[in-house]
Amino acid sequence: MSADRADRIAERLASRELDALLVTDLVNVRWLTGFTGSNGLALVGAGGYPFRLFITDFRYLTQSEEQLGDAWERQIASDILAHAADCLREAQRGRPLHVGYDDVHLSVKAHAALVERVGEDVELIPAGGLIEELRAVKDDEELERIRAAAKLADEALSEVLERGIVGRTERDVALELEIAMRRRGASGPSFPPIVASGAHAALPHAEPRDVTIPSGTLVTIDWGAQLDGYASDCTRTVATGEVGDEERAVYALVREAQQKALDAVRAGVAGRDVDAVAREIIKLAGHGEHFGHGLGHGVGAVVHEAPRLSQQSEDVLQAGNVVTVEPGVYVPGLVGVRIEDLVIVREDGPEVLTSLPKELVTVG
């Protein structure tokens, strides 16, 4: 697989008139090579520079051998960036070598050291986002891993809700949810879980408090699992007993907007157009000012990646994208409701990975 991904990168490099790409972000390194350690980088060449070079330090001598296929030449160095610079300088063949680097993740200090080390005949050219563009469309193995992460997360929340949440603190419920995911094999949560009850849920990214969850309120729970290198993301809002008419009306509105937006998800549709479906429904109901974030985002090796579903998005959905659809209404001092599904974009519509019900569920 990593050889195929390297070949795809080489094709992109050729179209950009780049001779090589220096990959330093560890998420991208893992996607490209399969390496899961904490220190490593990769060099991918194109055209007359067909090298596939992986560099790490002595700690990962055995691990890199086990995780990388034969397509990669492995080298060990104490200073991996300096070693990469030396390799680039040696590869230069009497003409300028054009090397793309990730200007999003490489620090100014590291870039300066790299420029000094490679010399005048190696030109470093910003190429941030090149791998992220490829990562946005998942292959079958990636989709299966995301399915598994979503399934694990769903099972963990079901277990927590079955035990009950009334009388427990938001923080305690969030902690139990994280433990439940880890017990099922997750390396951890894909982000710190959100558990917010009552008016606290009007904060879209509320942090769990040491405050007891009462009966007769709405509780918003946003969580996800990180499993085998891939993330999931989901939100459900539940009731802890009978709630008021306004809370129920807000819930019904968000559920309608979420379903209509889901129906609009398919390959070829602009992310901003899917966002507009949910936003218009919420706006017409008088809550436009209470929906202030984008409708969704891509999910993959990390929990926030391309493409984006928002008013400002320039992205067009492609088959194989994995995105969230998560409208919300947040009324300060009263209530917050968010409903979120994780879906695979298909040519004819979405494949919803989240299995939990979306009618208003009451829990003890």
Side-chain angles (χ1 to χ4, degrees):
M1 177 189 298
S2 63
D4 174 66
R5 291 175 180 175
D7 291 343
R8 289 162 60 195
I9 290 173
E11 292 175 4
R12 293 288 184 98
L13 294 177
S15 67
R16 296 192 183 192
E17 298 184 344
L18 291 173
D19 300 308
L21 181 68
L22 173 64
V23 185
T24 53
D25 176 61
L26 285 172
V27 174
N28 288 337
V29 169
R30 179 171 182 171
W31 177 85
L32 176 59
T33 69
F35 177 70
T36 63
S38 64
N39 191 35
L41 60 78
L43 277 168
V44 177
Y49 302 90
F51 48 79
R52 304 287 187 268
L53 176 62
F54 174 80
I55 305 170
T56 187
D57 64 60
F58 178 77
R59 295 172 298 167
Y60 297 110
L61 174 66
T62 301
Q63 180 177 330
S64 62
E65 182 179 9
E66 293 172 346
Q67 292 182 331
L68 272 69
D70 295 336
W72 292 93
E73 176 188 351
R74 293 181 306 110
Q75 294 187 14
I76 304 299
S78 57
D79 185 334
I80 63 173
L81 193 62
H83 187 75
D86 294 343
C87 292
L88 289 170
R89 192 174 62 248
E90 292 170 7
Q92 193 271 333
R93 299 173 182 172
R95 67 174 181 83
L97 187 68
H98 302 98
V99 179
Y101 74 96
D102 191 345
D103 52 308
V104 176
H105 294 104
L106 192 68
S107 70
V108 173
K109 181 178 180 180
H111 176 262
L114 190 61
V115 168
E116 182 177 359
R117 189 97 177 190
V118 296
E120 296 180 354
D121 292 327
V122 178
E123 182 181 2
L124 297 174
I125 300 171
L130 188 151
I131 291 183
E132 284 81 357
E133 291 174 7
L134 294 174
R135 278 174 39 200
V137 177
K138 278 65 178 176
D139 59 33
D140 289 342
E141 181 180 339
E142 290 178 293
L143 294 177
E144 191 56 39
R145 291 189 183 190
I146 296 170
R147 280 194 194 93
K151 181 175 184 291
L152 182 153
D154 286 356
E155 291 173 351
L157 182 66
S158 295
E159 175 190 324
V160 171
L161 294 181
E162 199 172 304
R163 293 179 180 174
I165 61 175
V166 174
R168 302 172 60 189
T169 67
E170 295 172 351
R171 185 175 180 276
D172 181 50
V173 173
L175 180 60
E176 184 185 358
L177 182 53
E178 178 174 341
I179 292 171
M181 289 190 288
R182 289 183 180 274
R183 282 177 175 161
R184 283 169 168 77
S187 58
S190 51
F191 57 93
I194 295 170
V195 178
S197 59
H200 188 51
L203 282 64
H205 275 191
E207 293 187 6
R209 307 166 296 174
D210 285 318
V211 172
T212 301
I213 298 171
S215 60
T217 193
L218 293 179
V219 181
T220 296
I221 303 174
D222 190 349
W223 81 109
Q226 194 77 24
L227 178 67
D228 293 333
Y230 286 84
S232 72
D233 190 4
C234 179
T235 306
R236 286 295 184 265
T237 300
V238 299
T240 59
E242 191 62 35
V243 297
D245 292 342
E246 188 166 0
E247 285 90 340
R248 286 187 173 276
V250 169
Y251 188 92
L253 172 62
V254 173
R255 184 180 177 190
E256 178 190 2
Q258 204 263 352
Q259 186 57 57
K260 292 292 178 59
L262 273 179
D263 294 341
V265 171
R266 65 191 65 247
V269 177
R272 65 170 58 187
D273 291 341
V274 183
D275 177 278
V277 171
R279 198 166 299 278
E280 184 65 15
I281 292 170
I282 292 172
K283 180 181 178 181
L284 289 174
H287 284 290
E289 66 184 83
H290 298 142
F291 178 27
H293 58 70
L295 178 71
H297 55 85
V299 175
V302 295
V303 77
H304 287 92
E305 56 181 54
R308 303 285 174 174
L309 283 65
S310 70
Q311 293 173 290
Q312 293 77 35
S313 175
E314 299 293 335
D315 298 326
V316 175
L317 298 181
Q318 302 178 66
N321 289 155
V322 177
V323 299
T324 65
V325 178
E326 50 177 307
V329 169
Y330 312 92
V331 183
L334 179 65
V335 66
V337 173
R338 183 165 63 253
I339 301 173
E340 174 186 17
D341 283 333
L342 186 63
V343 306
I344 300 172
V345 178
R346 301 297 191 185
E347 294 289 349
D348 56 352
E351 177 188 337
V352 179
L353 301 182
T354 311
S355 63
L356 300 176
K358 283 183 283 190
E359 65 269 14
L360 185 55
V361 174
T362 300
V363 299

